[in-house]
Amino acid sequence: DIQMPIMDGLELLEAIRDKKSDTIVIIITAFGTENYAIQALHLGANNYLKEPVSGQELLRLLKKYKTIISAKYSPDSLPGKLIHRKFTFEFDSEFNKIPKIVDKVIVESALDVENNVKVNMELGLVELITNAIEHGNLGIDYHEKQNALNEGTLDELYNERMNDPKYKGRKIIVEFFTDNVKAEWTVTDEGEGFDWTLLPNPTDQDHILELSGRGIFISRFLFDKVEYKGKGNIVTATKKIADL
């Protein structure tokens, strides 16, 4: 929580990140404390929940992060320095495979970075790929998702769309490039896209407690740059690695 005795949430977050910990941190904030949530994201918080905390929303986050942690794989350290690497993967639109997809992409990226930086990359890619499948390939808009969450029918909505001939078979493309100065991941879906120019500014506290577009919002704090292109079905996330 932002407000705690002895040490507040921001101080605790700073202490955790000073140790370069890969601990996943969720900040709890309330109406009127949006500026603290923005500060927390800049300090390395991985997500946020607004008070009063919804048990359903908390469980959804915990389950998502549990699958990410379970899928983590750390290859043995090898001598030498990566100078250049580039690859392209194609994946089916399957939500239950996202942690494994991200794990595969991170392992193949072979970046020599601190664990806490790697976790941010993983969480950011999970958000971007989930968004690409959910809102891109399956064409589920915010209101449809929110209604399904409220009614407890989100899995049914996913299954319905994945079996609909209009959406069935759509793929996700993940491209990676590094030149030892920066790393870039480009996620492309086969959906109709959206007007990405209307995305809220991530530093605008008026939008911090909104649930709509949270994945996009959070990913902007986990990478150095997140940029949508074309009709909105292509997104590139960049992380500077030269000084890590």
Side-chain angles (χ1 to χ4, degrees):
D1 205 342
I2 293 291
Q3 298 181 358
M4 302 189 299
I6 304 176
M7 177 184 289
D8 68 32
L10 296 182
E11 292 171 329
L12 178 57
L13 174 58
E14 285 190 277
I16 291 172
R17 292 302 180 233
D18 283 345
K19 295 181 178 293
K20 297 188 182 299
S21 168
D22 57 358
T23 301
I24 296 176
V25 177
I26 302 171
I27 287 291
I28 299 174
T29 188
F31 179 78
T33 61
E34 295 89 345
N35 58 322
Y36 289 110
I38 292 287
Q39 289 181 50
L41 291 169
H42 280 298
L43 289 171
N46 302 114
N47 214 321
Y48 61 89
L49 290 172
K50 64 177 181 178
E51 293 181 331
V53 175
S54 160
Q56 185 181 42
E57 182 71 9
L58 176 60
L59 283 174
R60 192 173 69 86
L61 274 183
L62 291 175
K63 288 178 181 178
K64 178 168 70 173
Y65 292 151
K66 179 183 178 181
T67 59
I68 294 169
I69 293 169
S70 299
K72 282 176 64 63
Y73 168 74
S74 300
D76 294 334
S77 179
L78 296 173
K81 186 176 183 180
L82 180 66
I83 301 299
H84 179 275
R85 190 172 184 83
K86 184 177 182 180
F87 62 75
T88 301
F89 281 121
E90 181 182 83
F91 300 103
D92 292 327
S93 297
E94 298 179 83
F95 288 101
N96 62 332
K97 299 286 181 64
I98 291 177
K100 286 292 186 182
I101 290 172
V102 171
D103 179 63
K104 176 70 172 176
V105 170
I106 291 295
V107 170
E108 292 296 329
S109 300
L111 298 173
D112 185 16
V113 296
E114 298 283 353
N115 283 338
N116 61 308
V117 176
K118 186 177 293 186
V119 166
N120 278 348
M121 294 174 177
E122 292 170 339
L123 298 184
L125 286 173
V126 165
E127 298 292 353
L128 294 178
I129 293 174
T130 299
N131 186 72
I133 294 176
E134 187 176 77
H135 300 302
N137 281 352
L138 299 185
I140 298 172
D141 64 31
Y142 165 68
H143 297 292
E144 287 177 311
K145 179 180 178 180
Q146 198 59 47
N147 289 337
L149 283 171
N150 293 337
E151 296 171 5
T153 58
L154 187 58
D155 288 338
E156 287 86 342
L157 177 58
Y158 287 159
N159 289 331
E160 177 187 325
R161 288 296 172 89
M162 286 189 288
N163 290 310
D164 187 323
K166 179 180 178 181
Y167 307 100
K168 188 176 183 179
R170 288 182 173 180
K171 306 290 184 181
I172 294 292
I173 303 294
V174 179
E175 300 170 87
F176 172 76
F177 168 79
T178 183
D179 55 6
N180 206 40
V181 174
K182 66 180 183 301
E184 290 185 346
W185 296 265
T186 298
V187 180
T188 303
D189 63 67
E190 297 182 327
E192 282 72 30
F194 69 104
D195 188 355
W196 50 270
T197 62
L198 299 178
L199 290 175
N201 187 325
T203 61
D204 183 356
Q205 69 181 45
D206 291 338
H207 297 282
I208 184 65
L209 295 185
E210 294 180 4
L211 295 179
S212 178
R214 180 188 293 187
I216 297 172
F217 186 90
I218 291 295
S219 66
R220 289 179 168 182
F221 289 90
L222 300 174
F223 295 104
D224 294 307
K225 183 179 180 181
V226 174
E227 181 182 14
Y228 277 84
K229 303 174 181 177
K231 62 180 184 178
N233 67 327
I234 302 173
V235 57
T236 296
T238 304
K239 189 73 175 178
K240 297 174 184 176
I241 60 173
D243 55 351
L244 297 179

